[in-house]
Amino acid sequence: MSTRINPFCLDGRRALLTGSCRGIGFELARGLGQAGAKVLINGRDKERTHAACAKLRDEGLMAEAVVFDVTDYGQSKTAIDDVEKRLGPIDILVNNAGIQHRAPLEEFAPEKWRELMQTNLDAVFYVSQAVARHMIDRKRGKIINIGSVQSELARPSITPYAASKGAVRMLTRGMCADWARYSIQTNGLAPGYFQTELNRALVEDREFSDWLCKRTPAGRWGQVEELCGAAIFLASSASDFVNGQMLYVDGGLTSVV
């Protein structure tokens, strides 16, 4: 009787997750690590990055800290080339680093627009290009870009954020168009509203929270660990013929009116 191989197993694979010291990025790192991957924790703050890495190691997971600023093209390329040489190939890239800034569009400061776009969009291009050059040589790789329900939907006061996440959706499709021929699968993971530090003000806003729970078919906020199954799927061989897609994990929010 033949032994069936688990297509979701990530044993022997190395995953770099940007902006993974806390929040969704940290939870995704934990999930990929529990599926067998060696995770590379990234952040700009050396102390915080190493502390996050140590926490995962204390849980018995394989983790390394990789400190660099994803909004700096030169830093990103140098750091990734160093990882490839020193630690081994990056098999999985999760572009998670992101920021939010809320203001009415007519009052949105240009410097805040630029900061948001540098983190949410430019960094995805910088890091993906640097990693993909190595993946192309190997003819294999997985790239997961973290989008949002705002990749599809707009709300007052967060138009620049929605614009950045909409651009991430199209960048994901473009990466598929350019890199699928090299057996690189690039897909997006788009969370709905999850209870995170970034969303703390919204969670604590009773009026908004009540509206959201009524608007969402599942009737509640998401829990960050509920994103891990989708991430493992997109990072594993189970998704080898899935490319250029956005997987919405949103309790049904984008499916109904």
Side-chain angles (χ1 to χ4, degrees):
M1 183 176 179
S2 63
T3 301
R4 184 175 177 82
I5 298 173
N6 179 5
F8 298 95
C9 178
L10 300 180
D11 288 355
R13 304 191 193 186
R14 189 173 287 101
L16 169 64
L17 299 96
T18 68
S20 51
C21 295
R22 58 186 176 180
I24 286 175
F26 181 79
E27 192 62 37
L28 292 179
R30 175 184 278 141
L32 295 184
Q34 290 172 343
K38 181 175 184 177
V39 295
L40 306 178
I41 302 300
N42 161 258
R44 289 182 293 186
D45 185 290
K46 183 176 180 180
E47 183 176 343
R48 182 180 292 169
T49 305
H50 281 272
C53 181
K55 186 174 181 180
L56 292 179
R57 285 179 174 174
D58 288 344
E59 296 177 12
L61 303 179
M62 297 176 289
E64 296 281 350
V66 183
V67 181
F68 67 95
D69 182 353
V70 295
T71 68
D72 185 305
Y73 178 79
Q75 272 194 47
S76 298
K77 184 179 184 305
T78 298
I80 287 161
D81 288 347
D82 176 68
V83 166
E84 289 271 340
K85 182 178 180 180
R86 182 170 52 88
L87 300 177
I90 298 170
D91 305 293
I92 302 158
L93 167 64
V94 181
N95 284 303
N96 170 76
I99 60 173
Q100 174 66 289
H101 180 71
R102 294 178 173 87
L105 186 58
E106 68 273 17
E107 299 174 8
F108 209 94
E111 60 270 21
K112 289 296 184 180
W113 168 279
R114 189 64 258 157
E115 180 187 15
L116 192 148
M117 291 297 170
Q118 285 174 338
T119 304
N120 293 3
L121 181 60
D122 295 356
V124 178
F125 166 67
Y126 295 161
V127 178
S128 295
Q129 186 188 69
V131 171
R133 285 170 172 164
H134 295 281
M135 289 180 171
I136 287 170
D137 289 341
R138 292 189 289 269
K139 299 294 190 295
R140 60 182 171 84
K142 301 279 186 175
I143 299 175
I144 303 170
N145 297 326
I146 302 302
S148 167
V149 289
Q150 265 69 55
S151 295
E152 294 284 350
L153 306 173
R155 276 188 58 78
S157 81
I158 59 168
T159 295
Y161 179 84
S164 73
K165 291 302 184 178
V168 166
R169 181 188 63 175
M170 289 308 302
L171 182 57
T172 299
R173 293 176 178 176
M175 290 177 181
C176 168
D178 274 284
W179 298 337
R181 72 195 71 178
Y182 303 111
S183 295
I184 298 171
Q185 291 84 51
T186 306
N187 292 288
L189 177 59
Y193 285 86
F194 281 75
Q195 291 185 341
T196 66
E197 184 175 335
L198 188 66
N199 280 332
R200 180 180 298 174
L202 294 179
V203 174
E204 295 175 351
D205 184 331
R206 179 57 63 85
E207 183 179 358
F208 179 86
S209 192
D210 288 346
W211 170 85
L212 177 68
C213 291
K214 292 176 182 177
R215 174 67 178 82
T216 304
R220 62 178 177 84
W221 287 82
Q223 302 298 318
V224 288
E225 60 269 17
E226 293 177 303
L227 290 166
C228 292
I232 292 167
F233 166 65
L234 294 177
S236 71
S237 59
S239 62
D240 281 352
F241 204 56
V242 179
N243 220 331
Q245 305 301 309
M246 292 294 288
L247 177 52
Y248 289 89
V249 184
D250 63 1
L253 181 66
T254 54
S255 297
V256 301
V257 294

